[in-house]
Coordinates of all heavy atoms in Angstrom, one line a residue:
P618 N -4.0 7.0 -6.6 CA -2.6 7.0 -5.9 C -2.6 5.7 -5.1 O -3.6 5.4 -4.6 CB -2.5 8.3 -5.2 CG -3.5 9.2 -5.8 CD -4.6 8.4 -6.4
N619 N -1.3 5.1 -4.8 CA -1.2 4.0 -4.0 C -1.8 4.2 -2.7 O -2.3 3.3 -2.1 CB 0.3 3.7 -3.9 CG 0.8 2.7 -5.0 OD1 2.0 2.7 -5.4 ND2 0.1 1.8 -5.4
W620 N -1.7 5.5 -2.1 CA -1.9 5.7 -0.8 C -3.5 5.5 -0.7 O -4.0 5.0 0.3 CB -1.4 6.9 -0.1 CG -1.4 8.2 -1.1 CD1 -2.5 9.1 -1.3 CD2 -0.4 8.5 -2.0 NE1 -2.1 10.0 -2.3 CE2 -0.9 9.6 -2.7 CE3 0.9 8.1 -2.3 CZ2 -0.1 10.3 -3.6 CZ3 1.7 8.6 -3.3 CH2 1.2 9.9 -3.9
T621 N -4.1 6.2 -1.6 CA -5.6 6.1 -1.5 C -6.1 4.7 -1.8 O -7.0 4.3 -1.0 CB -6.2 7.0 -2.7 OG1 -5.8 8.3 -2.4 CG2 -7.8 7.0 -2.7
A622 N -5.6 4.1 -2.8 CA -6.1 2.7 -3.1 C -5.8 1.8 -1.9 O -6.5 0.9 -1.5 CB -5.2 2.2 -4.4
T623 N -4.6 2.0 -1.2 CA -4.2 1.1 -0.2 C -5.2 1.3 1.0 O -5.7 0.3 1.6 CB -2.9 1.3 0.3 OG1 -1.9 1.0 -0.9 CG2 -2.4 0.5 1.5
A624 N -5.4 2.5 1.4 CA -6.3 2.8 2.5 C -7.7 2.3 2.3 O -8.3 1.7 3.2 CB -6.3 4.4 2.7
E625 N -8.2 2.6 1.1 CA -9.6 2.1 0.8 C -9.6 0.6 0.8 O -10.7 0.0 1.4 CB -10.0 2.6 -0.6 CG -10.2 4.1 -0.5 CD -10.5 4.6 -2.0 OE1 -10.4 3.8 -2.9 OE2 -10.8 5.7 -2.1
M626 N -8.6 -0.2 0.4 CA -8.7 -1.5 0.3 C -8.5 -2.1 1.8 O -9.3 -3.0 2.2 CB -7.6 -2.2 -0.5 CG -7.4 -3.7 -0.5 SD -8.9 -4.5 -1.1 CE -8.7 -4.2 -2.9
M627 N -7.6 -1.6 2.6 CA -7.4 -2.0 3.9 C -8.7 -1.9 4.7 O -9.2 -2.6 5.5 CB -6.3 -1.5 4.6 CG -4.9 -1.7 4.0 SD -4.5 -3.5 3.9 CE -4.9 -3.9 2.2
K628 N -9.4 -0.7 4.5 CA -10.6 -0.4 5.2 C -11.8 -1.4 4.7 O -12.5 -1.9 5.6 CB -11.2 1.0 5.0 CG -12.4 1.3 5.7 CD -13.0 2.8 5.6 CE -14.1 3.1 6.4 NZ -14.4 4.6 6.4
E629 N -11.9 -1.7 3.6 CA -12.8 -2.7 2.9 C -12.7 -4.0 3.5 O -13.7 -4.7 3.8 CB -12.8 -2.7 1.4 CG -13.8 -3.5 0.9 CD -13.7 -3.4 -0.7 OE1 -12.8 -3.0 -1.2 OE2 -14.7 -3.9 -1.3
I630 N -11.6 -4.4 3.8 CA -11.4 -5.7 4.3 C -11.1 -5.9 5.8 O -11.0 -6.9 6.3 CB -10.2 -6.5 3.6 CG1 -8.9 -5.9 3.9 CG2 -10.5 -6.7 2.0 CD1 -7.7 -6.5 3.3
G631 N -11.0 -4.7 6.5 CA -10.8 -4.5 7.8 C -9.3 -4.8 8.3 O -9.2 -5.2 9.5
A632 N -8.4 -4.6 7.5 CA -7.0 -4.9 7.9 C -6.5 -3.7 8.8 O -7.0 -2.6 8.7 CB -6.1 -5.1 6.7
D633 N -5.4 -4.0 9.5 CA -5.0 -3.0 10.6 C -3.8 -2.3 10.2 O -3.6 -1.2 10.7 CB -4.8 -3.9 11.8 CG -5.9 -4.7 12.2 OD1 -6.8 -4.2 12.8 OD2 -5.9 -5.9 12.0
G634 N -3.0 -2.8 9.2 CA -1.7 -2.3 9.0 C -1.2 -2.5 7.6 O -1.7 -3.3 6.9
V635 N -0.1 -1.9 7.2 CA 0.5 -2.0 5.9 C 2.0 -2.2 6.1 O 2.7 -1.4 6.7 CB 0.2 -0.7 5.0 CG1 0.9 -0.9 3.6 CG2 -1.2 -0.6 4.7
N636 N 2.6 -3.2 5.4 CA 4.0 -3.2 5.3 C 4.6 -2.7 4.0 O 4.0 -3.0 2.9 CB 4.4 -4.8 5.4 CG 5.8 -4.9 5.3 OD1 6.4 -5.0 4.1 ND2 6.6 -5.0 6.3
G637 N 5.5 -1.9 4.0 CA 6.0 -1.1 2.9 C 7.2 -1.9 2.3 O 8.3 -1.9 2.7
D638 N 6.8 -2.7 1.3 CA 7.9 -3.7 0.7 C 9.0 -2.8 0.0 O 8.8 -1.9 -0.7 CB 7.3 -4.5 -0.3 CG 8.3 -5.6 -0.9 OD1 9.0 -6.1 -0.1 OD2 8.3 -5.7 -2.1
T639 N 10.3 -3.1 0.4 CA 11.5 -2.5 -0.2 C 11.6 -1.0 0.3 O 12.5 -0.5 -0.1 CB 11.7 -2.5 -1.6 OG1 10.6 -1.6 -2.2 CG2 11.3 -3.9 -2.2
M640 N 10.7 -0.7 1.1 CA 10.7 0.8 1.5 C 11.5 1.0 2.8 O 11.4 0.4 3.8 CB 9.3 1.3 1.8 CG 8.5 1.1 0.4 SD 6.7 1.5 0.6 CE 6.7 3.3 0.8
D641 N 12.2 2.2 2.9 CA 12.9 2.7 4.1 C 12.1 3.8 4.7 O 12.7 4.9 4.9 CB 14.4 3.0 3.9 CG 14.6 4.0 2.9 OD1 13.6 4.4 2.2 OD2 15.6 4.6 2.8
G642 N 10.8 3.5 4.8 CA 10.0 4.6 5.4 C 8.8 4.7 4.4 O 9.0 4.9 3.2
I643 N 7.6 4.7 5.0 CA 6.3 4.8 4.2 C 6.0 6.2 4.2 O 5.8 6.9 5.2 CB 5.2 3.9 4.6 CG1 5.7 2.4 4.6 CG2 4.0 4.2 3.7 CD1 4.5 1.5 5.2
P644 N 5.8 6.8 3.0 CA 5.4 8.3 3.0 C 4.1 8.7 3.8 O 3.2 7.9 3.9 CB 5.2 8.6 1.4 CG 5.9 7.5 0.8 CD 5.9 6.3 1.7
K645 N 4.1 9.8 4.3 CA 3.0 10.4 5.1 C 1.7 10.3 4.4 O 0.6 10.3 5.0 CB 3.3 11.7 5.6 CG 2.3 12.3 6.7 CD 2.9 13.5 7.3 CE 2.0 14.0 8.5 NZ 0.6 14.3 8.1
A646 N 1.8 10.3 3.1 CA 0.5 10.3 2.4 C -0.4 9.1 2.7 O -1.6 9.1 2.7 CB 0.8 10.4 0.9
F647 N 0.4 7.9 3.0 CA -0.5 6.7 3.2 C -1.2 6.8 4.6 O -2.3 6.4 4.8 CB 0.5 5.6 3.3 CG 1.0 5.0 2.1 CD1 2.0 5.6 1.4 CD2 0.2 4.0 1.5 CE1 2.3 5.1 0.1 CE2 0.7 3.5 0.2 CZ 1.7 4.0 -0.5
S648 N -0.5 7.4 5.5 CA -1.1 7.8 6.8 C -2.3 8.8 6.8 O -3.4 8.6 7.3 CB -0.2 8.4 7.9 OG -0.7 8.6 9.1
D649 N -2.1 9.8 6.0 CA -3.0 10.8 5.8 C -4.2 10.3 5.1 O -5.5 10.5 5.4 CB -2.5 11.9 5.0 CG -1.5 12.8 5.8 OD1 -1.5 12.6 6.9 OD2 -0.7 13.5 5.2
A650 N -4.1 9.4 4.1 CA -5.3 8.8 3.3 C -6.1 7.9 4.2 O -7.2 7.9 4.2 CB -4.7 8.0 2.1
A651 N -5.3 7.1 5.1 CA -6.1 6.3 6.1 C -6.8 7.1 7.2 O -8.0 6.7 7.3 CB -5.1 5.4 6.8
L652 N -6.2 8.2 7.6 CA -6.9 9.0 8.5 C -8.2 9.7 7.9 O -9.2 9.9 8.6 CB -6.0 10.1 9.1 CG -5.0 9.4 10.1 CD1 -3.9 10.5 10.5 CD2 -5.5 8.8 11.4
K653 N -8.0 10.1 6.7 CA -9.1 10.8 6.0 C -10.4 10.0 5.9 O -11.4 10.4 5.9 CB -8.6 11.1 4.6 CG -9.5 11.9 3.8 CD -9.0 12.4 2.4 CE -10.0 13.2 1.6 NZ -9.4 13.6 0.3

């Protein structure tokens, strides 16, 4: 899933945040995947 792949990639490179392109709200799954 996008949220899992995104969280893992951001952790691997040490990035701090994610911008949701074209999105009017990033689903909670992205936050949950990062916290996990």
